[in-house]
Amino acid sequence: MPELGYLIAAIATAGLITLALRALPFAILKPLRKSKFVQALGRWMPVGIMLILAVVVLRDEFVQRPDQSWAVIVAAAVTIAVHLLGKRRALLSIAAGTACYILLINLL
């Protein structure tokens, strides 16, 4: 069994390394925050990632359940409508689209 001092030193070292690894990206990005490229990435990256996720999910649903494609289309339309009419609240539109899809698949 290692000594208590050795264990404390190992835990402290691991904690310092973890803290440094988590703070390093922020320290690297700090001088780049005023860059127009990084600002454009911050503005467009979330939309791009959401678009990619939506395309992948819709493609998988069309491939796995081709006979129920209408439910995917209706749920996607509900999601878009709620997003545009509900002041662009992402969680509200995702919840409404998911609930619509689940109801259509299970009840019809």
Side-chain angles (χ1 to χ4, degrees):
M1 175 98 183
E3 295 179 23
L4 181 62
Y6 176 79
L7 291 176
I8 291 173
I11 291 172
T13 303
L16 287 174
I17 290 172
T18 301
L19 180 67
L21 288 175
R22 292 186 182 195
L24 187 62
F26 295 104
I28 290 173
L29 280 178
K30 190 173 182 177
L32 298 175
R33 289 188 193 264
K34 294 181 181 177
S35 164
K36 289 188 178 192
F37 177 70
V38 172
Q39 289 177 353
L41 278 178
R43 188 176 327 119
W44 292 105
M45 187 74 88
V47 175
I49 290 172
M50 288 296 291
L51 180 65
I52 291 170
L53 287 172
V55 168
V56 168
V57 168
L58 290 175
R59 184 201 62 190
D60 289 347
E61 286 297 318
F62 284 127
V63 169
Q64 291 177 358
R65 299 184 182 121
D67 56 329
Q68 296 175 334
S69 297
W70 61 273
V72 174
I73 293 169
V74 170
V78 167
T79 303
I80 292 169
V82 169
H83 188 73
L84 294 177
L85 298 174
K87 298 181 181 179
R88 300 181 184 264
R89 294 182 185 150
L91 289 178
L92 177 65
S93 59
I94 291 170
T98 302
C100 177
Y101 179 72
I102 290 171
L103 288 173
L104 289 174
I105 292 295
N106 289 317
L107 297 179
L108 300 178

